[in-house]
């Protein structure tokens, strides 16, 4: 299920999907729907919140193209890349902050 709510948690729209559909593609569809349904200035006022299935190359590109801010958890598979680029916090660097 995908669900878009306002700041008070009131549902604005959503959809029900097959349990076999990937969350990665559900996020892709929701981002595309938001970009089509809302004006660019309205998109810039939103924060898209999703689990780590959001964090894929195509989804990040779509979010950037729409100037849509997001909050998510990075997938565990990104740990090495985050450390390499210096973005890792204490949990990813043996308890020591990266500099």
């Amino acid at each position: 299920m995908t669900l878009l709510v306002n700041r008070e948690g009131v549902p604005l729209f959503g959809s029900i999907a097959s349990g076999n559909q990937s969350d990665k593609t559900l996020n892709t569809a929701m981002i595309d729907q938001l970009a089509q349904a809302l004006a660019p200035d309205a998109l810039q006022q939103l924060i898209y919140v999703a689990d780590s299935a959001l964090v894929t190359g195509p989804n990040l590109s779509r979010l950037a193209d729409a100037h849509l801010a997001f909050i998510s958890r990075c997938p565990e598979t990104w740990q090495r890349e985050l450390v390499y680029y210096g973005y890792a916090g204490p949990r990813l660097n043996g308890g020591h902050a990266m500099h």
Side-chain angles (χ1 to χ4, degrees):
M1 178 170 84
T2 58
L3 186 63
L4 178 70
V5 299
N6 66 12
R7 292 176 191 220
E8 290 76 33
V10 176
L12 301 176
F13 70 87
S15 63
I16 304 294
S18 165
N20 294 326
Q21 187 173 1
S22 165
D23 286 350
K24 294 174 183 179
T25 58
L26 285 173
N27 281 306
T28 300
M30 181 60 88
I31 294 165
D32 290 346
Q33 289 173 4
L34 286 171
Q36 291 175 354
L38 300 174
D41 60 324
L43 282 174
Q44 292 177 10
Q45 296 177 26
L46 298 179
I47 299 175
Y48 192 91
V49 180
D51 65 14
S52 64
L54 171 66
V55 185
T56 67
N59 285 343
L60 294 176
S61 292
R62 281 180 164 79
L63 290 164
D65 290 345
H67 302 285
L68 183 54
F70 71 97
I71 296 173
S72 185
R73 176 183 178 277
C74 286
E76 290 293 327
T77 56
W78 283 42
Q79 179 176 343
R80 182 178 306 142
E81 289 82 3
L82 292 172
V83 170
Y84 177 79
Y85 290 107
Y87 294 114
R91 290 185 55 197
L92 294 179
N93 188 32
H96 304 336
M98 298 291 294
H99 298 286

